[in-house]
Amino acid sequence: MMSEKPVLLGSNKIEQSFKLVKVEGPSVQRTLYFKIGKADVLPGQFYMLSHNGGQKPFSISHYDGDLIGFTIMDRGKCSKGMVDAKAGDWFGLTGPLGNTFTTTNHKSYLLIGGGVGTAPLFFLASHLQGTGARVDILFGARNSSYLDYSNTLIGIENYTIIQCGEDDSCAVQGLVTDSIEDRLKKHTYNTCCICGPEPMVLAAIAKVRDSIPSIEISMERYMKCGIGLCGSCVIDQIAARVCEDGPVFTLEELEQSKEFGNYHRNSEGIIEKF
Ligand SMILES: Cc1cc2nc3c(=O)[nH]c(=O)nc-3n(C[C@H](O)[C@H](O)[C@H](O)COP(=O)(O)OP(=O)(O)OC[C@H]3O[C@@H](n4cnc5c(N)ncnc54)[C@H](O)[C@@H]3O)c2cc1C
Ligand code: FES
């Protein structure tokens, strides 16, 4: 007789409840902090956050060995509810999930982030502090209110941060990708890490691919379960689940997919072109 074994999920795949302890930032985008204590969390990983019946993935943007932070932009119903939450509110956290950026064997990084794609790169930059690596950071957003949280990276030894905005509230006015050539003229890099809207990611890749040998991209896809079970985040051709096999992929991996840079699936699984 066949015995049915229960599916055992690792403890990182079981939701735990935490009180929101601190909220920072303007109403359009806030960083939410939870006291999780000691945990093995690395740059690139994310958590599924649930609040008031909604659940969505969010990259880790901060971790100091005790408090973990998620930088959340008000984009829709679920994220708005989270951005409006107050200290003391309860959230469900499942994670850390997914893989990580490469943080070893590299001496010089160019980080390119757009919108909330800056969040995982902010954590990567914070994590690399003190390793001796050169870290140049290009962050782009609508205006400075979305990037103010990254001001703590200003003035770190071996670091340069260039904040680009659509208006004149940032140090540089223009697209984040417009600042890439200037960086490449001044420095050589071993690794480029990119996260943001896919058209921006493609534009960045076109500029760096001949100069930087290792390119890693953190991908965003619609996620339902976040733990590899539902298939909603699968990338065509390479059959990779972004939640389980990503969210960080090499350029070589993504270029085997016709989906990358062309389309994604919405919450109903319907293809939408970029
Ligand atoms: C690995 C990963 C990490 C993420 N990290 C962050 C983060 O650090 N900060 C942050 O603010 N957000 C992050 N997101 C996005 C976040 O999970 C939600 O998708 C976003 O907050 C919108 O959810 P919503 O329910 O508020 O909006 P919805 O009502 O679901 O959607 C609002 C609008 O956004 C579009 N949209 C929603 N989800 C996606 C998606 N995944 N890809 C493309 N378009 C989408 C919808 O089509 C709609 O137009 C991440 C997503 C992934 C997959
Ligand atoms: S979100 Fe369910 S498999 Fe990735």
Side-chain angles (χ1 to χ4, degrees), residues 46 56-59 71-73 75-80 116 119-120 219-223 247 264 272:
F46 67 96
K56 290 279 169 174
F58 293 98
S59 302
T71 302
I72 301 179
M73 190 195 281
R75 275 209 277 182
K77 197 168 169 243
C78 186
S79 52
K80 171 147 184 55
V116 274
M219 290 286 284
E220 205 184 285
R221 281 293 178 270
Y222 197 90
M223 288 185 186
H264 68 112
E272 286 179 351

Side-chain angles (χ1 to χ4, degrees), residues 88-224:
D89 287 356
W90 286 95
F91 277 66
L93 267 65
T94 310
L97 301 169
N99 67 355
T100 71
F101 290 110
T102 306
T103 54
T104 49
N105 306 324
H106 295 289
K107 289 273 169 273
S108 98
Y109 288 79
L110 181 63
L111 312 185
I112 307 170
V116 274
T118 56
L121 299 178
F122 177 84
F123 182 34
L124 174 60
S126 310
H127 182 89
L128 291 169
Q129 192 180 350
T131 62
R134 168 174 197 90
V135 183
D136 284 0
I137 303 146
L138 302 177
F139 278 177
R142 276 178 227 159
N143 58 55
S144 63
S145 62
Y146 293 89
L147 293 177
D148 281 350
Y149 82 96
S150 63
N151 288 347
T152 52
L153 298 173
I154 296 171
I156 297 176
E157 197 184 356
N158 291 334
Y159 279 42
T160 304
I161 174 161
I162 297 170
Q163 297 165 324
C164 311
E166 287 170 22
D167 62 17
D168 61 5
S169 61
C170 288
V172 174
Q173 186 171 1
L175 299 174
V176 66
T177 44
D178 293 342
S179 294
I180 294 175
E181 281 100 340
D182 185 52
R183 283 292 105 197
L184 295 176
K185 273 185 214 151
K186 291 184 173 135
H187 299 288
T188 55
Y189 302 95
N190 308 121
T191 298
C192 180
C193 300
I194 313 174
C195 186
E198 224 149 296
M200 182 226 91
V201 171
L202 282 198
I205 289 169
K207 294 193 176 190
V208 299
R209 63 178 312 144
D210 293 337
S211 320
I212 306 183
S214 166
I215 299 174
E216 296 184 350
I217 298 126
S218 177
M219 290 286 284
E220 205 184 285
R221 281 293 178 270
Y222 197 90
M223 288 185 186
K224 287 185 180 163

